Each structure stands twice: as C-alpha cells, then as structure tokens.
Amino acid sequence: MMPRAALALALALAAAPAGAAPAKGFQFGVIGHSFKAGADAAVLRQAIAEASAGNAAFVVATGIKAAGEPCSDKLYGQRRAMFDAADKPMIVSLAGSDWTGCKNSAGRSNAIERLNRLRELYFADAQSLGERRLALTRQSASAKFRSYAENAHWEYGNVLFATLNLPARNNHFLPEAGRNSEFEDRLVANRAWLQRLFTLAARKRLAGVVLFCDGDPGLQADAGFSLLAGFQSKPNKQDGFAEPRRQLKALAEKFDGKVLLVDAQGGAQAANGNAAGNGAAAGNGNGNGNAASAAATGGEPAIVWRGNLGQLSLAAEWAELRVGPGAAPLFTVKGGGADAAQ
C-alpha cells in the first residue's frame, strides 16, 4: 500500500494541469540606434557594455553604423567584432542607415548588394552573436525566403521574440518608377514572416510576441493619419509602412496575448506628429500617443498601449525590459513610465 505522504503527492501532481508552473520572470536589453548624432563607435561600445552588464538574458541592437559612415566590409567587420566581444547573446536588427543609402564608386545605389553582404557577415548561421550564443530560427531556413536571414525568431520564457527588416526612411520605398523590386519582394517576405510568427505564438499559447525593427510603422496612429511628413500634401507619395501596419494590427487583434513592437525612431516621429498637430507622435486626447514622445521631451522611454498592442520607440539609448509571465504587467521598462497593467 502506498504511504500516505506519497499518495498525497501523487494526487496533487495528477490534479495539476500540464504546464501549470509559471515561467520565471527575466530581463532583456535593447539598444536604440546609437548613431543618430553621427559616427561614434564609442557610443555603441558603451551601450553594449551597459546593456550587457546586468542580468539581461540577451541584448538586441538596432543598427551597426551611421548613415555617413562607409558601407565597407572593413567597418562591417569591426562592428561585428564589437558584438562578438559582448558576454551576453547579441542579436542585430538592421537599420536603414546600415544599407539603404549605400552607393558604389560611380555614385549609384549599392543598397541591395550591401544588404546581401550584411546577411553574409552577420546572419550566416542559426545563432546570435556574442560570447554566449542563443539559438535562432531564421526566415532563410525556408527555401522560398532563403535571402531573408536578417529576420529571426527565438522563444524565451513563454514569449516569442523576432526581428523584422523595416528600415526607417519609409521602409525603403523608392518613388522612382521601376526601382522598387527590393521593397516589393521584402514586403512579401515580411508578410509571410509575420503570419508565421503569430501562427506559432497562437499554436504554442505564448503569453506575448515582441518584434524589433528600425522604422516606426505607426501602430499608434489614428486611422487615416500618415506618419510621413507632408504626406497629405503629396498625394502621389506612398506610405511604405501601410501594409505591415495593417497586418500587425489585424494579427494582434486576433492574438490572445500581448504584442509589443520596439523601434529605433524615438523622438524622430514626435517632431513630425507635432508638426501635423495630430496622430501618432502627438497625443490624440485619449492618452494615446507615440512612445517616441517620451524620448523627444527628455523623459524615460515608455510603452504606449492600445488594447493588447504596444509600441516602444527608442532613440540613441538603451533600455532594459522586464518580462513577468503570468503577472500584470507582462512588459515593463526599467526606470520608465510603462508600468501599465499590460
């Protein structure tokens, strides 16, 4: 006959639902675009050191160089060495300044060739950078999208994290006729990538999805408002973020957990929104404004929520985010004003 204590333990285990044990809370670091003020590798080096110094499980860095720095293999290699020297897993999320403005010796655009070179140098295998590596799943693992190695996802603490190539400067949409093949092809890849991410998160019943990108797609913008400066006065100018914005909102609405997008445009869109007097960068009267407004006014970066969809815009700074699975709030910014029950 089973001893009474052992019987009680067996009954308790049998009654507990599968997966009932709550996931432990953890922190991760995010480095905004450190090159907004110009070329300064020391700023990035310091941000990497500070973001890696605490208990962060991993660090995500947006961008590797300033727009005015050379698009050379030498510089790309130097910045990769900086990331590899970090003692925490480092994930790079590309910025537009890393490739969209690159030109060859004849002064013509070299953006696509430089993007492909970055893919070779930074995203060649299914691991993060840094002394300690984190296993990643890249979109390039799919034969149909084998070029898009910069899009990667990983799961940590019941949350799905992913990078998404949405560069600033209107998502690299070029108004000149016949020059938008890169934009159009990447639009298709990103559409499939987002669908895959949310399908995975829903199937595994994850608590949240966190996306990292460079450009601000305007998730907090009012309907009918464009983040593009002067958009309304230029009816022929296409909003390059329109499709990913619509898709993200639709996918988040159907997802049971929380969705957080982290971009690197803190402060930039706030100025545009204030000039327009409306929408994403300025407050809209309902307490909903772009997260960039906090950075623009010198405050701490903060998450702005609409329903289960949040956005955090960082400037040339780094932030530590805390994740508390099974608790409210799920995401908080250390030292920031984002301690809302989300």
Side-chain angles (χ1 to χ4, degrees):
M1 184 175 182
M2 183 179 292
R4 182 177 300 176
L7 178 61
L9 177 60
L11 291 174
L13 291 173
K24 293 182 179 179
F26 62 96
Q27 298 84 39
F28 65 93
V30 186
I31 300 174
H33 193 40
S34 303
F35 302 100
K36 288 185 183 294
D40 192 349
V43 175
L44 176 60
R45 185 178 292 107
Q46 181 177 353
I48 293 173
E50 292 177 351
S52 303
N55 295 321
F58 54 83
V59 177
V60 178
T62 304
I64 66 171
K65 77 176 194 68
E69 290 185 286
C71 301
S72 64
D73 285 4
K74 179 180 179 181
L75 186 138
Y76 289 165
Q78 290 172 342
R79 299 291 157 81
R80 160 141 191 177
M82 291 174 61
F83 291 120
D84 272 333
D87 66 351
K88 298 290 175 62
M90 299 290 305
I91 296 96
V92 172
S93 179
L94 291 179
S97 61
D98 299 333
W99 61 279
T100 60
C102 295
K103 297 183 182 299
N104 60 22
S105 58
R108 296 173 181 169
S109 175
N110 201 27
I112 297 176
E113 190 277 334
R114 289 289 83 188
L115 174 57
N116 288 331
R117 185 58 176 149
L118 284 166
R119 288 164 171 163
E120 294 174 353
L121 292 173
Y122 282 80
F123 314 118
D125 56 33
Q127 289 185 319
S128 67
L129 305 179
E131 291 183 356
R132 284 188 283 169
R133 300 298 176 100
L134 188 67
L136 307 174
T137 299
R138 300 197 181 279
Q139 189 176 17
S140 55
S142 169
K144 186 176 180 180
F145 301 107
R146 60 174 177 262
S147 296
Y148 296 88
E150 69 273 22
N151 287 345
H153 75 71
W154 64 101
E155 187 180 333
Y156 200 100
N158 203 35
V159 174
L160 185 66
F161 297 88
T163 56
L164 182 67
N165 191 353
L166 291 178
R169 301 275 183 157
N170 200 24
N171 199 17
H172 198 223
F173 173 82
L174 303 174
E176 296 87 351
R179 292 184 57 190
N180 270 309
S181 59
E182 188 284 322
F183 167 82
E184 292 165 358
D185 291 346
R186 185 166 41 80
L187 207 63
V188 173
N190 283 341
R191 183 190 310 138
W193 184 239
L194 286 171
Q195 188 64 53
R196 175 180 172 181
L197 294 173
F198 279 87
T199 298
L200 176 64
R203 177 170 57 83
K204 302 188 75 171
R205 298 183 180 180
L206 299 180
V209 174
V210 181
L211 302 169
F212 304 93
C213 62
D214 176 34
D216 176 2
L219 298 181
Q220 306 302 333
D222 289 331
F225 177 80
S226 173
L227 294 180
L228 293 175
F231 180 83
Q232 293 176 336
S233 63
K234 299 177 181 178
N236 294 326
K237 189 171 185 180
Q238 178 174 328
D239 182 351
F241 293 112
E243 180 174 325
R245 178 169 60 249
R246 285 193 297 266
Q247 186 184 13
L248 278 166
K249 288 183 175 181
L251 290 170
E253 186 176 357
K254 297 177 182 178
F255 182 60
D256 290 336
K258 304 298 181 185
V259 180
L260 174 62
L261 182 134
V262 183
D263 68 72
Q265 298 305 306
Q269 299 296 357
N272 292 339
N274 289 331
N278 195 347
N284 62 12
N286 297 321
N288 294 314
N290 194 304
S293 60
T297 57
E300 295 282 356
I303 302 172
V304 175
W305 291 97
R306 282 190 175 180
N308 70 328
L309 180 58
Q311 184 171 353
L312 171 65
S313 289
L314 294 176
E317 60 195 9
W318 72 276
E320 182 178 271
L321 279 79
R322 295 172 177 168
V323 182
L330 178 60
F331 302 112
T332 56
V333 181
K334 182 178 180 180
D339 296 332
Q342 293 289 348

